[in-house]
Amino acid sequence: MRIVRFSTGDSYSFGAVGSPRDQPDELVVAELDGHPYAGISLTGQSHRLADVQLLSPVLPSKIVGIGKNYADHAAEMGGEVPEVPIVFLKPSTAVVGPDAPVVYPEISTEVHHEAELAVVIGRLCRDVPAERVAEVVFGYTCANDVTARDLQRSEGQWARAKGFDTSCPLGPWVETELDPSDLAVTCTVNGDLRQAGRTSQMVRSITDLVVHVTAAMTLLPGDVILTGTPAGVGPLQVGDEVAVTVEGIGTLTNRVIKRG
């Protein structure tokens, strides 16, 4: 099931994307009653997908990032895979949805794209054992861990480099029925392929990451874990259109704009 968050005018709702039986080529959004984490309940209202504005599919209290979880990306950054996963946080204010602009921060002159598979948590959890990870995962979406690379190098701590406003596009929806073990993850900029990897190349699996993160902190419904990026990260410029595609989910597209 594809779960979206959308707006129609001044109204904001969660919805489920599907096709009517009598119109298999038409995508519609069935409006949900409340949030989807406690179970799917429909209001009976529906909208053509083309008539709504898709927003970030979740409103996380926090985004937990994992650094250097692909060996080829660790190598291109000039190092090896760390013995212990590198964990960092992005604030909720970094989140934007599909087709929303990524605002080039004035504090940086070297902003990079990082295409990633994102894990969406579906229930409050802490100290999750490996055999129960599937119970706390709601689904998966596309993410772009936009990074001010110059700040990352110069400051050591990654809070500003990875936490500036609009640095975490998510979307276009959450896919709840997906085997994430071997999915293609790609990134294009203005149609040119920049990144191409597979989730099977991750050093640490999604199960490992959920266990590791929840050993330290409580995750809430809607929280997101970014699972790392494959090699090929590179610069973005004002005016660029960047698209992250994850096999089985779809494509998340955003344009880079100047702050104004």
Side-chain angles (χ1 to χ4, degrees), residues 68 120 147 163 180 212:
K68 299 182 180 180
V120 178
T147 301
H212 184 72

Side-chain angles (χ1 to χ4, degrees), residues 48-192:
R48 293 177 63 244
L49 181 61
D51 294 337
V52 306
Q53 179 182 354
L54 292 184
L55 308 172
S56 62
V58 292
L59 292 171
S61 73
K62 54 188 168 296
I63 303 98
V64 184
I66 304 298
K68 299 182 180 180
N69 197 33
Y70 287 75
D72 54 0
H73 173 59
E76 75 177 350
M77 296 300 292
E80 299 180 351
V81 174
E83 293 185 10
V84 177
I86 296 175
V87 177
F88 59 91
L89 296 176
K90 294 171 83 89
S92 60
T93 48
V95 173
V96 292
D99 299 318
V102 171
V103 181
Y104 204 109
E106 295 180 345
I107 56 177
S108 175
T109 60
E110 189 184 354
V111 172
H112 283 197
H113 56 80
E114 293 192 8
E116 309 203 11
L117 172 70
V119 181
V120 178
I121 298 300
R123 55 186 289 187
L124 186 147
C125 58
R126 173 71 197 272
D127 291 322
V128 181
E131 63 272 16
R132 301 194 65 181
V133 165
E135 298 176 25
V136 307
V137 173
F138 179 69
Y140 305 90
T141 192
C142 307
N144 192 348
D145 177 22
V146 184
T147 301
R149 196 70 71 198
D150 48 354
L151 298 186
Q152 186 183 26
R153 285 195 303 266
S154 65
E155 296 185 357
Q157 295 288 337
W158 295 0
R160 293 208 309 163
K162 289 180 173 286
F164 60 88
D165 290 354
T166 74
S167 66
C168 192
L170 298 172
W173 39 60
V174 177
E175 176 57 69
T176 63
E177 300 174 11
L178 187 68
D179 178 356
S181 59
D182 186 28
L183 304 174
V185 178
T186 62
C187 178
T188 64
V189 177
N190 302 324
D192 296 328

